[in-house]
Amino acid sequence: MTLWFVFALMTVAAIFAVLLPLGRSGRAQNQGSEVAVYKDQLAEVERDLAAGLIAAPEAEAARVEISRRLLAAAGTEAAQAPTSSLKWRRAAAVLALAGLPLVAVGVYMPLGSPRLQDFPLAQRERGSGSGMAQSLENLVVQVEQHLEKNPTDGRGWNVLAPVLQRLGRFDDAVRAYRNSLTYNGESAERRSDLGEAIAAAANGVVTAEAKGEFERAHALNADDPKANYFLGLAAEQDGRKDDAANIWRALLAKAPEDAPWRSLVQSSLARVGGGTMPALSDETLAASRDMNEGDRNAMVRGMIERLATRLKQNGDDVEGWLRLVRAYLVMGDRDKAVGASGDARQAVANDAARLRQLNEGLKTLGLDG
């Protein structure tokens, strides 16, 4: 309703903006009467001169002045519209400006949709998302048509394969990755991508075929993170949790701190109960007490801090919490041990089994309160 009101105000403003100048015609009429007056004055000067009432020099001066004024008034009059058509111009302007909105409304009401409600924001966002998806599908179709005509275009297969996997077309992605290997050559990354697509097609199960691809990738590059992660996942799915934990520990040991997949590996390691750090033995901790502060920080404190940081990010690792509390106790930091035990209980408070396991471990360490 507010929008229609604004449109009405705009229309009224436009009408007045056009009609207002048309009402200023009185000045033109006055200027027309001035011309007639000056002509009469010229005639009167001639009559006075003929009657001998004024001298010739005075008559000439009067003629010059009156003629100057007459020319000025006549020029202004010529610039104005003829007064005879003023009423018709006003009528035409009013008819056009008043009729135009009426014609627009008359055309819009039967052809437009004035009662159509706006779409909710969520529905518009879904529509935008579906439009983007449709655009992506169209691009994929174009690339596929190109590759049908140019099947040896390795770069095309390399571009198409990850997009197909993103769209959930895993079987097509597997075929595209195989063609990419054929026409681009061997690489650990391509083998890992192929193995991932095969596993995705099997609903996340690392099949023998997928495992073979990851092993080939590992042979090409022993530090390939994707290959190592999925080889650990294959070990976990085979029931070899210790092997999975060892693979993932080694992967994390070589990983940069800002690796985007680091949290995924950490959560997987916690899932198999492997933690993310080697256990701190009593001998190591006891020996550290005899070292100077600098050596102790270098050898032990850094390990403990890293463990504490990881547990803040992933608090489901009960064994990790117990190892952290035990490390604080051996180092003589009982307050930190008590604080860590409280954090641990809060982290697993919603998991009865983990909470029971934690309480039993803390009781063994003398922190059953």
Side-chain angles (χ1 to χ4, degrees), residues 280-333:
L280 300 177
S281 64
D282 291 340
E283 292 78 8
T284 301
L285 294 171
S288 69
R289 287 180 295 181
D290 297 331
M291 296 180 181
N292 58 51
E293 187 66 20
D295 291 340
R296 181 184 301 130
N297 286 339
M299 186 176 73
V300 178
R301 296 288 184 184
M303 299 175 67
I304 295 176
E305 290 174 2
R306 286 195 296 274
L307 177 59
T309 300
R310 180 187 65 80
L311 290 171
K312 288 181 180 179
Q313 298 174 351
N314 179 20
D316 294 337
D317 183 5
V318 175
E319 292 297 332
W321 283 113
L322 294 175
R323 193 159 61 250
L324 179 63
V325 172
R326 183 163 164 267
Y328 282 140
L329 289 174
V330 175
M331 293 295 294
D333 294 334

Side-chain angles (χ1 to χ4, degrees), residues 34-48 54 59 62-63 65-67 69-70:
E34 288 179 3
V35 171
V37 170
Y38 293 142
K39 288 182 178 179
D40 290 340
Q41 289 179 353
L42 285 173
E44 185 177 356
V45 168
E46 295 297 332
R47 287 195 299 271
D48 290 343
I54 59 174
R63 277 198 298 267
E65 178 63 22
I66 295 172
S67 297
R69 296 181 181 180
L70 177 60

Side-chain angles (χ1 to χ4, degrees), residues 63-118:
R63 277 198 298 267
V64 170
E65 178 63 22
I66 295 172
S67 297
R68 184 184 63 79
R69 296 181 181 180
L70 177 60
L71 289 173
T76 304
E77 182 182 1
Q80 300 294 328
T83 57
S84 60
S85 61
L86 179 61
K87 293 182 179 180
W88 290 108
R89 292 201 311 273
R90 288 182 177 178
V94 172
L95 181 62
L97 293 174
L100 194 59
L102 296 177
V103 172
V105 172
V107 172
Y108 176 72
M109 293 302 291
L111 299 180
S113 302
R115 297 181 181 179
L116 182 64
Q117 296 183 353
D118 193 9

